[in-house]
Amino acid sequence: MNPGCSLISLTYIASERIIPGKQKVRVNTIAAGPLRSRAAKAIGFIDMMIDYSLANAPLQKELSADEVGNTAAFLASPLASAITGAVIYVDNGLNAMGVGVDSPIFKDLNIPKNTE
């Protein structure tokens, strides 16, 4: 399993195996994009992540806590009664874009460049 994938894997496993359907428990994950918050400031580069998202996501706007909260409210509501084992991306579509080669995360990785 790749590092960082454990939450998604646990979502799949819990929804499929651990929680029997008779209990009517649904297990889903919300994968939020870069969100400006006091907690996010602690990672030190959240502003860079938000700027990258604004420049590259299909919906070029800043993500709000309300949008993530609305997704949680939807998943907890009867409207989502048939949804389980899902990862819901709330990131203005950034996950669908992948990581661009111009991403700042590649700057300090010393990736060899093709010199041909």
Side-chain angles (χ1 to χ4, degrees):
M1 181 183 310
N2 292 330
C5 294
S6 59
L7 182 62
I8 293 172
S9 296
L10 285 173
T11 301
Y12 296 151
I13 291 168
S15 67
E16 179 181 289
R17 297 184 192 154
I18 296 174
I19 302 184
K22 294 178 184 177
Q23 292 182 354
K24 297 185 181 178
V25 174
R26 294 176 281 131
V27 180
N28 297 293
T29 297
I30 297 172
L35 183 64
R36 194 177 310 276
S37 69
R38 200 172 343 156
K41 287 281 185 195
I43 67 170
F45 55 90
I46 189 66
D47 292 328
M48 183 174 57
M49 293 172 65
I50 291 170
D51 291 343
Y52 183 82
S53 178
L54 287 169
N56 294 285
L59 301 175
Q60 295 181 335
K61 62 181 186 59
E62 193 162 330
L63 183 64
S64 74
D66 284 345
E67 291 169 314
V68 177
N70 289 342
T71 303
F74 163 72
L75 287 172
S77 78
L79 295 172
S81 63
I83 300 173
T84 192
V87 178
I88 308 296
Y89 293 92
V90 183
D91 63 357
N92 293 321
L94 188 63
N95 75 88
M97 302 308 294
V99 178
V101 294
D102 62 339
S103 172
I105 66 167
F106 294 129
K107 182 178 67 171
D108 297 324
L109 294 181
N110 297 324
I111 297 173
K113 304 218 182 327
N114 189 353
T115 57
E116 292 179 33

